[in-house]
Amino acid sequence: MYRPPHFREDRLDVQHDLIRSHPLGLLITSGPGGLMANPIPFLIESSASERGTLLCHMARANPQWRELAAVPECLVVFQGPQDYVTPSWYATKRETGKVVPTWNYATVHAWGKPAVIDDADWLRRQIESLTQAREASRPEPWQVDDAPAAFVAAQIKGIIGVEIPICRIEGKWKVSQNRPEPDRAGVAAGYREQGDAGIPMADLVVERGKPG
């Protein structure tokens, strides 16, 4: 990934936090069937390997799991907050007019050798952990045990597990760090004017604009 120095994010805990908050990763393989990509929700276990281990499941009918069994490496892309930047937000526009549109975003790319797991107990634990991660904040969290046992067992037969110990991971937070402070302030204000949808990116622009 192209990462100019001011956009790099190499802190593993920050990278993992983005994966947890935006767990739908794009799983990419280049195997015997050619390039394939599928959006898959992931869990990350930070302590399971040096850089963390990604866990997921997919439909047994999805041909990509056979590709995973045949490749030495796959890539998973996690996309965090992202949004357009209009030049109208820049103080520089009013001063010189020498501005162009751009896009702000935060993303993490993770590579690793995948292992395909066809084990009902492993799959049960994975779907329980994934469910708990997404349901825990709800007033009445749904649990896997809420569904009939025979139904759950049948559903598990229709999926396959994947475990990816991360061998390389890169983060990029492109959030207006390369702009002068008045421009960053204008960008943050512009995002906030968009309402709730703009707040995550506004917060990143402010956070990453602080010195050192």
Side-chain angles (χ1 to χ4, degrees):
M1 175 166 51
Y2 172 58
R3 295 194 300 159
H6 39 275
F7 297 149
R8 289 178 66 113
E9 178 49 80
D10 294 324
R11 291 172 294 178
L12 196 60
D13 60 328
V14 176
Q15 296 167 343
H16 286 188
D17 283 346
L18 183 139
I19 293 172
R20 290 191 181 95
S21 59
H22 296 83
L24 188 68
L26 185 63
L27 175 61
I28 303 166
T29 52
S30 179
L35 279 169
M36 288 189 185
N38 280 286
I40 305 283
F42 282 85
L43 291 169
I44 183 159
E45 292 186 354
S46 295
S47 60
S49 62
E50 181 181 359
R51 296 176 182 86
T53 296
L54 295 169
L55 311 171
C56 74
H57 68 266
M58 63 176 64
R60 193 175 290 271
N62 187 334
Q64 193 174 25
W65 72 266
R66 299 185 187 279
E67 299 290 301
L68 290 165
V71 298
E73 185 179 57
C74 65
L75 167 64
V76 189
V77 176
F78 296 93
Q79 181 65 62
Q82 56 81 30
D83 211 337
Y84 173 72
V85 180
T86 171
S88 299
W89 290 340
Y90 291 153
T92 302
K93 175 183 180 294
R94 297 184 290 276
E95 296 165 359
T96 69
K98 296 179 180 179
V99 291
V100 294
T102 189
W103 212 279
N104 276 348
Y105 56 88
T107 187
V108 169
H109 294 189
W111 292 259
K113 179 175 175 55
V116 173
I117 299 174
D118 191 0
D119 178 86
D121 292 336
W122 187 99
L123 287 163
R124 173 74 185 224
R125 290 192 300 272
Q126 199 274 334
I127 61 174
E128 286 178 339
S129 296
L130 183 61
T131 299
Q132 183 177 13
R134 307 316 295 177
E135 290 278 342
S137 62
R138 297 177 61 82
E140 297 183 9
W142 183 88
Q143 301 179 43
V144 174
D145 284 339
D146 290 346
F151 173 78
V152 172
Q155 294 295 301
I156 288 175
K157 288 180 180 179
I159 61 177
I160 200 87
V162 180
E163 188 171 277
I164 308 169
I166 298 171
C167 66
R168 180 161 59 105
I169 186 167
E170 295 179 354
K172 182 176 181 181
W173 267 242
K174 180 186 175 295
V175 290
S176 300
Q177 302 99 311
N178 58 326
R179 302 301 307 180
E181 192 282 329
D183 286 357
R184 295 196 303 271
V187 170
Y191 282 134
R192 293 193 192 283
E193 288 173 2
Q194 295 180 344
D196 291 347
I199 289 176
M201 183 53 73
D203 289 347
L204 283 180
V205 171
V206 172
E207 173 194 324
R208 296 295 171 125
K210 294 176 181 176

